[in-house]
C-alpha cells in the first residue's frame, strides 16, 4: 500500500472558470500589452519554472515587440485574472481530507512562486496538504526528477511508497514515473490520450470520487 499521494494543482485539483487563452487576452489588454498566444505563453513558461514571479515569462514574450508594456504589470494582471476565476473541482477538498486520514498528502506544482502560492491562498488550501512545493522554490521543475525528490523529502517517504496524480503527460506522468513513483493520469476533455506509463487513469470530473479507491487498489480500467 502507498504511504503518500502527491498531486499536481492546475487542472488536477482546480480549474479556472474561463479558458486560459481568454484569461491571457484579458490580462494583456488590461496591461496595454500586445496580443500573445497561449502556445507562446506555454513555451516561455516551460523556460521559467524556477522563478519567483511570472515577470521573466512576460519579459521573454515581450522582447523584440514594439510595446511599452511593463512585464511586471502584465504578470500582475495575469495573476490577478487567474485568481479571480479559479475554483476547486467539485468534492476535492473533502477528498483531500479523506486521504489525509490514511496517507501523507502532498502538492507539487510547476510555476513561479508568487503565482502558484497565490492560487493556494485563493483556494484556502494553505493547510490542505502535509507538504506543498512550488517549483519556483526549487532548483528544477517537473519533469526533472529533482522536483519529485524534493516533495518526497518533505513528506518523508520513499519513492516506491508514493503515487503522483496529474494531467500533463510530460511534466506529470513521465516526470513521476521517471523519478520512480507510480502515476495516475487525470484525463481532460480534448486532452491527451491515456498514457501507458500511468498505473491508472481517471477523468477530471471523477477525481474526487475515484482517486481514493484508485490509490487503495492501484487499478483503473480507464473508463
Amino acid at each position: 500500500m502507498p504511504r503518500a499521494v502527491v498531486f499536481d494543482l492546475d487542472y488536477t485539483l482546480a480549474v479556472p472558470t474561463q479558458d486560459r487563452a481568454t484569461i491571457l487576452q484579458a490580462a494583456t489588454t488590461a496591461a496595454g500589452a500586445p496580443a500573445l498566444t497561449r502556445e507562446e505563453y506555454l513555451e516561455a513558461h516551460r523556460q521559467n519554472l524556477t522563478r519567483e514571479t511570472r515577470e521573466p515569462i512576460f519579459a521573454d514574450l515581450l522582447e523584440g515587440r514594439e510595446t511599452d508594456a511593463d512585464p511586471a504589470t502584465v504578470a500582475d494582471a495575469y495573476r490577478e485574472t487567474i485568481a479571480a476565476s479559479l475554483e476547486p473541482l467539485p468534492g476535492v477538498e473533502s477528498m483531500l481530507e479523506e486521504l489525509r486520514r490514511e496517507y501523507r498528502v502532498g502538492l507539487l506544482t510547476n510555476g513561479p512562486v508568487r503565482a502558484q502560492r497565490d492560487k493556494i491562498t485563493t483556494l484556502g488550501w494553505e493547510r490542505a496538504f502535509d507538504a506543498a512545493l512550488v517549483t519556483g522554490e526549487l532548483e528544477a521543475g517537473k519533469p526533472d526528477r529533482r522536483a519529485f525528490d524534493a516533495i518526497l523529502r518533505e513528506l518523508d517517504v520513499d519513492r516506491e511508497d508514493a503515487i503522483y496524480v496529474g494531467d500533463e503527460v510530460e511534466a506529470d506522468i513521465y516526470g513521476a514515473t521517471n523519478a520512480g513513483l507510480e502515476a495516475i493520469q487525470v484525463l481532460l476533455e480534448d486532452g491527451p490520450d491515456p498514457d501507458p506509463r500511468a498505473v491508472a487513469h481517471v477523468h477530471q470530473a471523477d477525481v474526487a470520487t475515484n482517486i481514493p479507491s484508485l490509490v487503495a487498489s492501484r487499478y483503473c480500467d480507464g473508463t
Side-chain angles (χ1 to χ4, degrees):
M1 291 292 292
R3 293 183 53 228
V5 188
V6 184
F7 289 91
D8 173 46
L9 177 60
D10 296 290
Y11 297 98
T12 296
L13 294 176
V15 294
T17 56
Q18 300 179 355
D19 68 80
R20 288 299 182 93
T22 300
I23 291 173
L24 181 61
Q25 180 181 7
T28 53
T29 299
L36 301 169
T37 68
R38 176 68 174 159
E39 291 72 21
E40 289 173 322
Y41 175 83
L42 289 175
E43 179 57 31
H45 185 275
R46 281 190 286 268
Q47 302 304 315
N48 291 279
L49 294 178
T50 58
R51 302 289 192 163
E52 178 69 24
T53 72
R54 288 194 182 94
E55 182 177 349
I57 295 174
F58 286 103
D60 288 350
L61 289 169
L62 296 178
E63 185 177 4
R65 297 175 186 257
E66 293 185 3
T67 179
D68 294 326
D70 177 26
T73 301
V74 185
D76 286 343
Y78 188 66
R79 175 177 51 80
E80 291 165 3
T81 306
I82 287 179
S85 69
L86 193 66
E87 63 180 21
L89 288 173
V92 298
E93 291 164 323
S94 297
M95 176 200 69
L96 293 172
E97 292 177 4
E98 176 185 349
L99 288 171
R100 289 186 73 184
R101 298 187 192 109
E102 301 290 335
Y103 312 99
R104 300 279 287 167
V105 176
L107 181 75
L108 177 63
T109 176
N110 263 355
V113 177
R114 186 176 181 190
Q116 298 306 93
R117 289 291 176 191
D118 274 4
K119 291 177 185 178
I120 295 169
T121 300
T122 296
L123 292 162
W125 288 357
E126 298 96 327
R127 299 180 182 274
F129 306 94
D130 295 296
L133 292 182
V134 175
T135 61
E137 302 160 339
L138 307 176
E139 60 181 341
K142 298 180 296 182
D144 194 300
R145 67 182 301 147
R146 288 174 292 178
F148 294 91
D149 288 344
I151 190 63
L152 292 173
R153 285 194 299 270
E154 289 292 313
L155 292 170
D156 192 25
V157 296
D158 295 328
R159 64 190 72 252
E160 60 268 20
D161 294 326
I163 293 180
Y164 191 83
V165 183
D167 66 287
E168 292 192 20
V169 169
E170 179 70 12
D172 297 323
I173 307 308
Y174 164 72
T177 56
N178 186 57
L181 290 75
E182 291 186 339
I184 295 174
Q185 182 182 1
V186 175
L187 302 175
L188 310 185
E189 187 175 350
D190 300 324
D193 292 334
D195 191 284
R197 290 169 293 193
V199 297
H201 308 87
V202 59
H203 291 286
Q204 187 187 60
D206 300 324
V207 165
T209 54
N210 288 3
I211 287 296
S213 60
L214 292 179
V215 171
S217 65
R218 301 190 184 189
Y219 173 80
C220 180
D221 62 6
T223 62

